[in-house]
Amino acid sequence: MLALKRLVTILVMVYLLLALLFILSPAAREGVAGAFGLSTDLSTFYWVLFIVAVVLLAVQLLVENLDSTMLRRNISQHEGKINELKARLYDQQMELREREFQQRPTVATGTTTYPDPAYTAPPAPAPAPEVHRPVFPQEDPSLTNEPLQKPNSFIPPAAPDADERPVR
């Protein structure tokens, strides 16, 4: 179908170019009209061009409609397949949920129930170890986050009386 569609499109383009050539160039028109024996009357030449144009237009419309119909049919078939696959997936999910629901242990108050042997509860997670955090967390990522007992070695500690500043 695609080859037929392309062939008709090419024929229409060639016809359009030839028709423009005949309309715009009187010498080409007279030469072609003389070759086909249509040189007696110019209206006969244009009448033949018109008939060829109508036939090409009808063929192009038929091919385009046929192609469009085939594409729509193909799309509806693919949509049907998609819906069928969705239905299968939904059915499988519902079966899986039903199996999981049946495998859960039953809990009742006041009576002793025994869990299903196929169901095993996961072990309780171990408590996380406590992480050492400094007294004053620092927001600057370029600074090291060390405890206060370990001051920087290149900054000498301040003298005890350095906190007293003169008042101005």
Side-chain angles (χ1 to χ4, degrees), residues 4-107:
L4 181 63
K5 186 177 173 182
R6 287 182 180 170
L7 178 69
V8 170
T9 303
I10 290 170
L11 286 175
V12 168
M13 286 185 209
V14 168
Y15 173 79
L16 181 62
L17 289 175
L18 285 175
L20 285 174
L21 177 69
F22 296 152
I23 291 171
L24 298 176
S25 173
R29 178 178 51 231
E30 291 172 6
V32 172
F36 287 109
L38 302 172
S39 61
T40 57
D41 191 13
L42 195 58
S43 64
T44 308
F45 178 73
Y46 283 119
W47 183 253
V48 171
L49 279 179
F50 175 72
I51 297 296
V52 170
V54 168
V55 169
L56 276 177
L57 181 63
V59 169
Q60 186 177 21
L61 285 174
L62 287 174
V63 168
E64 288 290 332
N65 285 335
L66 186 62
D67 184 52
S68 175
T69 304
M70 289 176 64
L71 285 176
R72 272 190 250 123
R73 185 181 310 141
N74 194 9
I75 287 173
S76 66
Q77 287 174 351
H78 286 295
E79 286 177 351
K81 266 187 186 176
I82 289 171
N83 286 338
E84 182 182 335
L85 291 173
K86 283 181 181 179
R88 281 188 201 166
L89 177 64
Y90 180 77
D91 291 342
Q92 288 175 355
Q93 287 175 344
M94 294 310 288
E95 288 175 6
L96 181 66
R97 286 182 186 162
E98 187 176 322
R99 272 190 256 133
E100 287 177 356
F101 182 72
Q102 289 175 356
Q103 289 177 355
R104 290 184 186 165
T106 57
V107 176

Side-chain angles (χ1 to χ4, degrees), residues 144-162:
T144 58
N145 222 355
E146 294 185 22
L148 294 176
Q149 291 82 12
K150 221 172 160 188
N152 291 334
S153 60
F154 58 88
I155 301 175
D161 58 339

